[in-house]
Amino acid sequence: MSETLASFRLTRGQIAWRAAQDIPEGAYVNLGIGMPVACANHVPAGREVTFQSENGILGVGPRPAKGAEDFDLINASKDPVTLLPGAAIVHHADSFAMITGGHLDLAILGAFEVAANGDLANWSTGAARVPGVGGAMDLAAGAKAVWALTTHVDKAGRPKLVEACDMPLTGAGVVKRVFTDLAVIEVTAEGFVLREMVEGIDVEALRALTGAPLHVPAAPARLSPPADL
């Protein structure tokens, strides 16, 4: 990506903030490792959301203040967390029963690739050796909806939103919405539909960075998160 375009990209914190704004009132939500766990820090004031961590927490709160961390209390990313009033600590098997039993309204996951039909690849690039898929496939299959958080292109400038995934799939046809460092995109029966995009680039520039057709049925809203994230 050129230096000019790089200056418009959202930070990881800004991507997590934007996704958190769309989490509906009363939702039960799993946050995947990496970028998604930061969504717990950005839920709008007054909105009740219950976050679940697959290692056995229901009712995850924001990250604790520096110096107040308890490293016996961590999420699936091994980051220290707080507990909200009414939170529960459960056995790992019970945590996965919540996931596979269809009790989660939403899973917010990272992504290596998202295909235009909603296929998700997020557990292996196909080349790197990883210990295993973990809970990613359970979440992709068990949650009522899946959102993906990712950069629009990889470090080599290759699109991560593609016509068909080349990497091993985590789930087929599961992703409903994608939040990138450049745009918010819905995954529909027609493919990728642009809803929001950052200031400083135009639709054609965004299309050039997207590896599948990008439909623009109306003028996209501008994506303007807080600057200090």
Side-chain angles (χ1 to χ4, degrees), residues 27-33 36-37 40 49-61 74-76 84 88 90-100 103-109 135 139 143:
Y28 285 81
V29 183
N30 179 280
L31 300 176
I33 63 173
V37 296
V49 175
T50 303
F51 289 114
Q52 190 255 14
S53 185
E54 69 182 62
N55 58 319
I57 307 175
L58 186 65
V60 178
I74 59 174
N75 59 25
L84 296 179
V90 303
H91 190 279
H92 205 197
D94 294 322
S95 180
F96 270 81
M98 296 177 195
I99 295 169
T100 59
H103 302 292
L104 295 180
D105 297 301
L106 177 63
I108 304 179
L109 306 175
L139 287 163

Side-chain angles (χ1 to χ4, degrees), residues 124-151:
S124 172
T125 62
R129 298 183 64 181
V130 294
V133 69
M137 288 182 180
D138 300 89
L139 287 163
K144 295 173 185 175
V146 175
W147 296 351
L149 273 58
T150 187
T151 54

Side-chain angles (χ1 to χ4, degrees), residues 156-198:
R158 295 177 296 239
K160 297 176 76 172
L161 279 65
V162 295
E163 189 69 47
C165 293
D166 289 326
M167 297 176 188
L169 289 190
T170 306
V174 295
V175 177
K176 303 302 181 186
R177 191 174 303 171
V178 186
F179 299 84
T180 81
D181 52 354
L182 297 175
V184 177
I185 293 172
E186 298 283 350
V187 182
T188 73
E190 289 73 40
F192 293 131
V193 177
L194 178 63
R195 299 302 185 197
E196 299 179 25
M197 60 188 296
V198 297

Side-chain angles (χ1 to χ4, degrees), residues 1-2 12 14 16 18 20-21 30 34 44 60 68 85 92 101 106 130-131 145 149 158 173 190 198 204 209 214 223:
M1 186 179 293
S2 70
R12 292 167 62 88
Q14 289 172 326
R18 178 60 191 85
Q21 307 315 295
N30 179 280
V60 178
H92 205 197
L106 177 63
V130 294
L149 273 58
R158 295 177 296 239
E190 289 73 40
V198 297
E204 291 311 310
L209 297 169
L214 183 61
L223 181 49

